[in-house]
Amino acid sequence: MKKIALALLCLSSLSFAADYDPIRGEMLSLSCTSCHGIDGKSEAITPYIAGMGKANMYQILLDYKNGKRVETMMQKHAKGFSDEELEQISYYFSNIKR
Ligand code: HEC
């Protein structure tokens, strides 16, 4: 019995991607667009983030949040979101055409 419980525990702890919820993704993305432009299509000095690969953006946001990547603005901003929210945001921007 213990072995089965252990096996189930291992299976359930495999990290799987969260399902994308487009409405949440769009709502959460609004906190980015004041700096990165509508839908991330920046026309200012902030980076253009529309159409960035989802996995790439998610990793960058996690690195900001965990302090692995340090820049002026983003690590402060990324700390305000759960990992799952950062993933939803990454889905949203990756679905925008460049
Ligand atoms: C206060 C302005 C501001 C807000 C709000 C903001 N950003 Fe940024 N972002 C920046 C700046 C400035 C940079 C350039 C790096 C730096 O100085 O932090 C950047 C860099 C990035 C990068 C790295 C781009 C690259 O090509 O390396 C990503 C990805 C990013 N932001 C995503 C987001 C997301 C997603 C949000 C919303 C959760 C967000 N940003 C909110 C200002 C902002």
Side-chain angles (χ1 to χ4, degrees):
M1 197 56 202
K2 261 191 185 155
K3 272 188 187 152
I4 295 174
L6 203 65
L8 284 176
L9 198 71
C10 290
L11 273 179
S12 61
S13 66
L14 284 178
S15 65
F16 51 84
D19 286 336
Y20 179 42
D21 176 344
I23 299 191
R24 271 188 81 220
E26 185 169 0
M27 294 278 283
L28 291 165
S29 79
L30 293 177
S31 69
C32 318
T33 52
S34 56
C35 290
H36 286 281
I38 295 168
D39 281 344
K41 297 180 175 179
S42 175
E43 292 176 18
I45 54 162
T46 46
Y48 189 104
I49 59 170
M52 248 177 118
K54 184 247 163 189
N56 183 31
M57 181 184 275
Y58 183 43
Q59 190 56 56
I60 292 174
L61 294 175
L62 289 178
D63 287 349
Y64 280 134
K65 182 177 171 182
N66 300 328
K68 283 195 197 140
R69 182 168 164 164
V70 177
E71 277 169 317
T72 356
M73 298 278 183
M74 282 306 299
Q75 73 271 24
K76 296 187 186 79
H77 202 68
K79 283 197 177 90
F81 296 92
S82 71
D83 291 2
E84 193 265 341
E85 287 170 335
L86 292 176
E87 190 171 22
Q88 295 291 333
I89 292 170
S90 305
Y91 272 120
Y92 179 79
F93 285 112
S94 70
N95 282 332
I96 307 276
K97 283 216 163 63
R98 285 201 145 245

